[in-house]
Amino acid sequence: MPFVRSACVLVLSAAVAVSGTVAATGAANRSGSTIGSQGAGDPYFPSQGNGGYNVGHYDLYLRYTPSGQHLRGTATIQARATKTLTRFDLDLRHSMKVSSVWVNGTKAVAKQPASRTQELVITPKHTLPKGQQFTVRVHYAGVGKAIHDPDGSLDGWIPTSDGAFVAGEPQGAPTWFPVNNSPRDKATYRVMVNVPKGLAAISNGALKSRVTKHNRTTWTWKLTKPISSYLVTATVGKYKITRGHTGDGVPYLIAVDPSQQADSANVLRKLPRILDFFTTRYGKYPFKQSGAIVDNAPYVGYALETATRPIFDRAPSESTLAHELAHEWYGDTVTLKRWRDIWLNEGFAEFSAWLWDEHSGGQTGAQHLNQLMSLSANNEIWNPPPGNPRTNDQIFSDSVYERGAGTLQALREKLGNKTFFTIMRGWVAAHRYGNATVGEFTSYASAVSHRDLTHFFHVWLYKNGKP
Ligand SMILES: [Zn+2]
């Protein structure tokens, strides 16, 4: 995400949540429970994700009608039990009502308890032994609706005048499909969206087919590399679609709302060159497709690095486009393990926007850093420290982006380009399609550079105030 979100609503104490989660998990293990937990243990968003299984693939069929915002879906989920399960949960907001759930083809008991706004509690007829692969099919329908995040921004299925802007970071995926909404549970996707003829539905990966019947069109997309659920989209609207290939041969598909075409043409033309440039610095582009979605939804207030095809709420600036494209390496293939590791996404993407500026004849990274360091110690930009945003409403604060980008430029100046880019490339290669923590990055940088960087990272990532 490139833009700073404003406002703050809820402040969650990480310390309290951590101890609560650990205690609950410990108790479950000791008692040998066969019930999958209702959260994945992230202290910033304790109700997101679930325990007891891992998803391998989501097959989603959605039917959306913008007038009335009616959304109907069938989700077929392939998963594997990580312990013996007599009951488990999926995350699905209660704006979606479930009509039936089937586990391995047999009808299961499904409940959406009123006290838990996004849990779908599933009791299969037969116990699922640890290690078993199983299939869950969920039929559901409701009103496509966004949710408000702790920092006040909108997230999820966000209706627009001609469709919906669909962006799931950090909590939005369960507004439109049943999911294990933990960034650690990566899966592949096939997304089919049926919309009124004349509208497009744009998702991740390759466009496999577009079939029109009875005045409606079904768009089918397939993503064969595993991603976190917050990076999935199924954005609906009127779009002009263009296609091409980068210099490295990666196909791109760009969908632009007609109202944004004039303002975005010059910037979008640079998309292949930006991807080729990052490939030279960060290593092979991690996915088989690329592109962008430019919508007309300025009230959203941000863009998101939806995998293979970032989504923009309006015609993007060049720096915003570079930021989102860099996320394909930092965020989408190497993904944070917990939400407090957000610096691995945003600091890296913002630094990459500086790097693109330098490469294209604008300010150098050093000039960007000098400009940042010229800000006074009282400036809000210095807090919270990017390596520990402390609360879930601060993960998208200025500091994570700008002080976070400055951290990498300072590291680059300390180690020199050769060692620095060896670290940046090696980091992606080591964690491709996986998850990582800030601590793992700082240890990796120290190991590769043969330097003790403990003090450097303490000052830049963890200490309060201006480094
Ligand atoms: Zn970002």
Side-chain angles (χ1 to χ4, degrees):
M1 235 175 260
F3 293 116
V4 174
R5 309 199 196 189
S6 56
C8 64
V9 183
L10 169 86
V11 177
L12 171 79
S13 160
V16 169
V18 170
S19 59
T21 307
V22 169
T25 310
N29 287 343
R30 274 195 302 278
S31 67
S33 166
T34 58
I35 294 171
S37 66
Q38 301 194 316
D42 193 303
Y44 284 15
F45 296 98
S47 66
Q48 297 296 329
N50 306 284
Y53 62 93
N54 281 318
V55 176
H57 180 76
Y58 291 88
D59 205 75
L60 307 177
Y61 178 83
L62 304 163
R63 190 179 195 276
Y64 187 57
T65 305
S67 59
Q69 299 166 17
H70 186 75
L71 182 66
R72 181 149 58 80
T74 299
T76 308
I77 301 167
Q78 289 163 22
R80 191 178 62 81
T82 55
K83 65 180 203 173
T84 297
L85 288 175
T86 54
R87 198 180 95 187
F88 63 93
D89 282 20
L90 284 164
D91 299 319
L92 182 66
R93 290 270 161 171
H94 293 182
S95 44
M96 290 297 142
K97 296 293 169 215
V98 170
S99 53
S100 67
V101 175
W102 305 73
V103 176
N104 292 334
T106 303
K107 198 164 186 186
V109 176
K111 293 203 168 116
Q112 293 177 283
S115 58
R116 295 181 166 269
T117 54
Q118 73 164 26
E119 298 300 316
L120 169 61
V121 181
I122 298 168
T123 307
K125 188 154 196 285
H126 307 290
T127 298
L128 299 165
K130 181 179 174 178
Q132 187 182 308
Q133 304 272 359
F134 63 98
T135 302
V136 191
R137 177 165 293 183
V138 181
H139 298 279
Y140 60 101
V143 174
K145 242 186 180 171
I147 55 163
H148 287 272
D149 283 319
D151 64 3
S153 55
L154 290 171
D155 183 11
W157 192 275
I158 307 170
T160 58
S161 58
D162 61 355
F165 180 102
V166 181
E169 189 186 28
Q171 300 189 91
T175 63
W176 60 282
F177 69 99
V179 54
N180 186 22
N181 198 34
S182 160
R184 298 173 74 149
D185 193 356
K186 294 194 175 190
T188 55
Y189 285 82
R190 183 170 71 150
V191 178
M192 290 164 280
V193 194
N194 175 274
V195 291
K197 188 180 161 187
L199 295 183
I202 315 291
S203 185
N204 316 82
L207 175 59
K208 301 306 276 186
S209 66
R210 187 171 21 178
V211 177
T212 300
K213 259 188 217 163
H214 311 300
N215 257 350
R216 295 184 68 96
T217 305
T218 303
W219 297 67
T220 299
W221 300 84
K222 200 169 175 190
L223 180 71
T224 54
K225 300 286 186 191
I227 59 164
S228 304
S229 47
Y230 77 90
L231 296 167
V232 185
T233 187
T235 290
V236 177
K238 289 198 176 79
Y239 294 104
K240 170 104 173 61
I241 292 175
T242 54
R243 298 187 194 229
H245 287 83
T246 68
D248 292 326
V250 178
Y252 64 80
L253 183 152
I254 299 175
V256 182
D257 185 292
S259 71
Q260 303 301 303
Q261 259 186 296
D263 289 344
S264 61
N266 281 335
V267 166
L268 291 174
R269 198 170 296 138
K270 296 180 181 171
L271 181 141
R273 261 180 285 155
I274 298 173
L275 288 173
D276 288 343
F277 169 66
F278 287 147
T279 301
T280 66
R281 294 299 184 274
Y282 300 149
K284 192 172 184 286
Y285 178 75
F287 296 100
K288 287 183 180 165
Q289 295 85 21
S290 67
I293 306 167
V294 179
D295 206 349
N296 177 24
Y299 46 88
V300 172
Y302 62 84
L304 180 66
E305 61 270 24
T306 37
T308 70
R309 199 161 287 121
I311 183 166
F312 302 87
D313 67 335
R314 68 192 83 178
S317 69
E318 189 168 330
S319 124
T320 300
L321 180 65
H323 174 113
E324 300 306 337
L325 292 175
H327 270 307
E328 299 299 329
W329 284 262
Y330 304 107
D332 292 8
T333 186
V334 183
T335 307
L336 40 67
K337 208 171 259 179
R338 311 156 302 185
W339 287 102
R340 70 169 277 178
D341 298 309
I342 189 73
W343 173 70
L344 294 176
N345 290 16
E346 301 306 345
F348 284 57
E350 193 59 13
F351 167 76
S352 301
W354 292 7
L355 205 62
W356 171 252
D357 193 28
E358 174 181 295
H359 178 72
S360 53
Q363 287 194 74
T364 63
Q367 285 169 329
H368 276 284
L369 180 58
N370 285 343
Q371 204 172 27
L372 178 71
M373 295 311 283
S374 71
L375 299 173
S376 83
N378 302 327
N379 197 297
E380 285 184 10
I381 200 120
W382 305 116
N383 285 310
N388 181 9
R390 296 203 189 95
T391 53
N392 66 2
D393 60 335
Q394 297 207 83
I395 56 177
F396 300 113
S397 63
D398 279 354
S399 165
V400 172
Y401 290 72
E402 301 306 323
R403 182 176 161 184
T407 304
L408 289 171
Q409 177 60 28
L411 183 66
R412 181 188 181 192
E413 292 174 16
K414 189 178 177 69
L415 302 179
N417 272 337
K418 188 163 182 285
T419 305
F420 175 76
F421 285 109
T422 300
I423 292 167
M424 294 296 274
R425 271 193 302 275
W427 175 247
V428 175
H431 295 280
R432 204 165 270 252
Y433 313 116
N435 299 82
T437 64
V438 173
E440 285 166 359
F441 178 81
T442 58
S443 303
Y444 181 78
S446 296
V448 172
S449 64
H450 306 291
R451 301 269 289 267
D452 181 358
L453 299 170
T454 312
H455 179 71
F456 171 86
F457 283 122
H458 172 72
V459 168
W460 273 98
L461 290 178
Y462 298 114
K463 197 169 128 319
N464 282 329
K466 188 174 176 178

